[in-house]
Amino acid sequence: MKKNRPNFIVIMTDDQGYGDLSCMGATDLRTPNIDRLAHSGARFTNWYSNCPVCSPSRASLLTGCYPANAGVRSIISGHRKASGILPETPTIAQALKDIGYSTSLVGKWHLGLQYDSRPNQNGFDYFYGFMAGCIDYYSHIFYWSMADGNTNPTHDLWENDKAIYDNGEYFTEMVTEKSVERIREMSMEDKPFFLYVAYNAPHYPLHAPKKYLDRFPELPPDRRIMAAMLSAVDDGVGDILDELERRNILEDTVVFFQSDNGPSRESRNWMDGTPDPYYGGMPGSLKGNKFSLFEGGIRVPGIFSWPEHISAGQVIDEPCVAMDVFPTMLKLAGGNPDQYRIDGTDILPVLEDGAKSPHDYIFWEMENQTAVRHGNYKLVLNGRLVEKSDVEAPVFLTDLSKDEGETHNLVDEMPDMAEDLRQIAEAWRTGIEKTWEDKSRRNKNIT
């Protein structure tokens, strides 16, 4: 029986910048349905991904753990033997399933392709989508690894553990259609549901039907294709909300939206063989992009809507992070987050009562970069703006309440604060390295 427990829908986009929504300040594109979602609940201005690249970010969202504690610390390969997340690290889908929820994933997985790392083995009753990091939007083939000359392209479209073929259909629209179908089917069951809608847009390759491109005729090519891809996602969010209304379950459904990390600057976005950086996605006024531990790589759009309980029109400045979704949703479902070894914290008091962030410190790591936020202060060690770029500064300290663009390094002005946060960040990183060495050796295929 449902017993008045809420349904949950998590919607995640891919490589979408902090400034790539009209409700987040974009003026050259329109996202009316995501804006509608934000206006119906709470929009966070200091919401964070747990990592500036996709696999670890998604692992944290689903497990409530820092990436290394979830067993996924870097981008996972796309070959069929690639390991990733494992059943010994429960997902929110598994935790909800254990207390009577129906669970579905539609879209991008990117948390491993070997059998034990697949969605159906990690809490999802139903899976429709792809398992690698990206696919061609029309052929649904994973091409990314073939650049080495030794790796073959791989077809990557699945329904549960069976490969399927829907050639020629635009994948963003396929995700929406299947999500609406799953809402319809699960809402007819005598139990609540959890649906993870993982769009791969606006991640490369840059594909969008003409009808979406025609909405932005005045934009330059790179921005236009990104806006078109995101507009297709926005239509999908509208279709999902409309289906909840048709089923008369919108008031009983918690909908959460975020991007997995900041916007890509990778030249492969262009698909024309040039090495030029791509500038389609925007981090707003923030510094850094995908891969960076400066704000542009990790601060992302974050929206919670639950009309029955969360007041509409809220703008919340408190810093919270993706790993908080697990304990928040599990507690709302009547489960006990204390049964799980997680790093996130229930943030319902922030959403309902205007409470302060439960986090004294939030940490990040990406290769040789480490970062910590403590109140308004943020310290980045060996920070880079994009992958393979030079280190900006060995130690960079910012007061984000005065300088969210991280333009001025306060190390010389506040040496004691910088040293204290450096020691705290490095101590945390030491613990992460030990965890990785002791508990994550099974993931040797992660590259």
Side-chain angles (χ1 to χ4, degrees):
M1 298 294 290
K2 290 187 177 181
K3 297 182 180 178
N4 298 318
R5 293 186 292 173
N7 306 305
F8 300 104
I9 297 178
V10 170
I11 302 172
M12 178 171 270
T13 52
D14 201 344
D15 288 2
Q16 179 194 348
Y18 182 83
D20 289 336
L21 292 175
S22 40
C23 65
M24 299 297 290
T27 58
D28 59 347
L29 57 80
R30 300 172 299 279
T31 51
N33 293 297
I34 299 173
D35 294 357
R36 166 188 166 195
L37 182 67
H39 296 328
S40 72
R43 175 173 63 86
F44 282 81
T45 59
N46 281 275
W47 186 267
Y48 288 99
S49 165
N50 277 99
C51 188
V53 296
C54 42
S55 296
S57 167
R58 292 160 191 271
S60 288
L61 174 77
L62 290 177
T63 67
C65 299
Y66 281 112
N69 294 338
V72 179
R73 199 177 178 189
S74 59
I75 296 173
I76 293 175
S77 297
H79 58 80
R80 295 288 170 87
K81 296 181 180 180
S83 62
I85 198 169
L86 297 169
E88 62 200 44
T89 305
T91 65
I92 181 60
Q94 186 62 60
L96 291 172
K97 182 177 178 178
D98 288 346
I99 59 174
Y101 274 68
S102 179
T103 60
S104 293
L105 161 58
V106 178
K108 175 176 176 173
W109 175 239
H110 205 190
L111 290 173
L113 282 84
Q114 73 161 0
Y115 182 78
D116 286 346
S117 297
R118 294 185 174 193
N120 295 115
Q121 284 65 52
N122 286 276
F124 289 98
D125 298 317
Y126 178 86
F127 166 58
Y128 178 92
F130 68 100
M131 297 194 211
C134 58
I135 54 171
D136 179 278
Y137 282 78
Y138 291 98
S139 69
H140 317 131
I141 290 175
F142 176 65
Y143 290 108
W144 187 80
S145 293
M146 67 183 293
D148 64 9
N150 300 310
T151 303
N152 292 330
T154 306
H155 178 267
D156 192 17
L157 183 62
W158 305 79
E159 186 166 32
N160 296 316
D161 286 321
K162 180 181 179 182
I164 61 173
Y165 295 83
D166 286 326
N167 297 344
E169 296 188 39
Y170 186 54
F171 190 70
T172 298
E173 295 178 338
M174 295 166 68
V175 169
T176 296
E177 291 166 6
K178 185 60 69 171
S179 296
V180 169
E181 178 184 306
R182 291 305 299 158
I183 290 169
R184 187 176 303 125
E185 292 174 353
M186 291 189 293
S187 67
M188 297 175 66
E189 300 176 3
D190 192 25
K191 55 183 177 179
F193 65 81
F194 170 74
L195 173 63
Y196 176 31
V197 183
Y199 287 104
N200 54 321
H203 191 290
Y204 60 77
L206 302 181
H207 289 157
K210 183 176 183 295
K211 65 181 179 181
Y212 299 113
L213 286 163
D214 287 347
R215 295 177 182 180
F216 309 98
E218 74 288 353
L219 294 182
D222 51 353
R223 187 66 171 164
R224 185 185 184 197
I225 187 66
M226 196 288 304
M229 295 172 75
L230 189 55
S231 191
V233 171
D234 187 72
D235 280 6
V237 172
D239 289 348
I240 288 169
L241 296 177
D242 289 347
E243 184 64 22
L244 293 173
E245 286 188 321
R246 278 192 293 271
R247 296 283 152 188
N248 198 31
I249 55 175
L250 182 61
E251 297 290 317
D252 303 323
T253 302
V254 179
V255 182
F256 171 70
F257 175 96
Q258 80 158 77
S259 172
D260 63 348
N261 47 251
S264 170
R265 288 287 177 263
E266 296 157 284
S267 61
R268 63 173 58 94
N269 282 281
W270 288 115
M271 297 193 296
D272 64 0
T274 67
D276 298 335
Y278 168 72
Y279 288 96
M282 299 297 180
S285 61
L286 307 179
K287 173 182 177 178
N289 301 278
K290 180 180 180 179
F291 186 83
S292 174
L293 292 189
F294 290 113
E295 292 290 281
I298 53 177
R299 197 195 297 194
V300 295
I303 298 168
F304 263 97
S305 175
W306 187 19
E308 192 172 78
H309 291 274
I310 297 174
S311 297
Q314 292 186 71
V315 178
I316 297 176
D317 295 328
E318 294 299 314
C320 295
V321 63
M323 64 187 180
D324 297 332
V325 171
F326 183 120
T328 302
M329 289 188 172
L330 184 59
K331 193 166 183 179
L332 286 173
N336 181 9
D338 293 338
Q339 292 180 330
Y340 299 87
R341 298 184 64 179
I342 57 177
D343 301 306
T345 304
D346 172 25
I347 58 168
L348 192 61
V350 179
L351 291 162
E352 287 193 334
D353 305 323
K356 295 292 185 181
S357 171
H359 298 288
D360 196 11
Y361 298 93
I362 302 174
F363 299 95
W364 297 267
E365 50 108 2
M366 182 74 247
E367 294 190 355
N368 71 328
Q369 301 176 89
T370 308
V372 58
R373 176 163 179 170
H374 172 57
N376 290 325
Y377 290 99
K378 165 110 174 285
L379 186 84
V380 182
L381 303 177
N382 301 315
R384 302 172 186 268
L385 294 181
V386 295
E387 188 175 8
K388 299 179 181 179
S389 66
D390 293 336
V391 171
E392 286 284 295
V395 182
F396 199 102
L397 176 67
T398 313
D399 181 349
L400 293 173
S401 67
K402 300 175 181 177
D403 181 20
E404 69 174 8
E406 294 168 293
T407 62
H408 181 59
N409 192 349
L410 297 174
V411 168
D412 292 337
E413 298 167 41
M414 304 182 69
D416 292 342
M417 171 68 77
E419 178 60 19
D420 288 346
L421 290 179
R422 184 192 65 78
Q423 291 184 19
I424 290 168
E426 290 184 345
W428 174 81
R429 183 68 183 257
T430 298
I432 287 295
E433 299 297 344
K434 185 176 188 303
T435 295
W436 188 250
E437 181 68 23
D438 292 347
K439 299 182 180 181
S440 302
R441 294 177 180 173
R442 292 178 62 186
N443 290 348
K444 292 180 180 179
N445 289 319
I446 295 178
T447 58

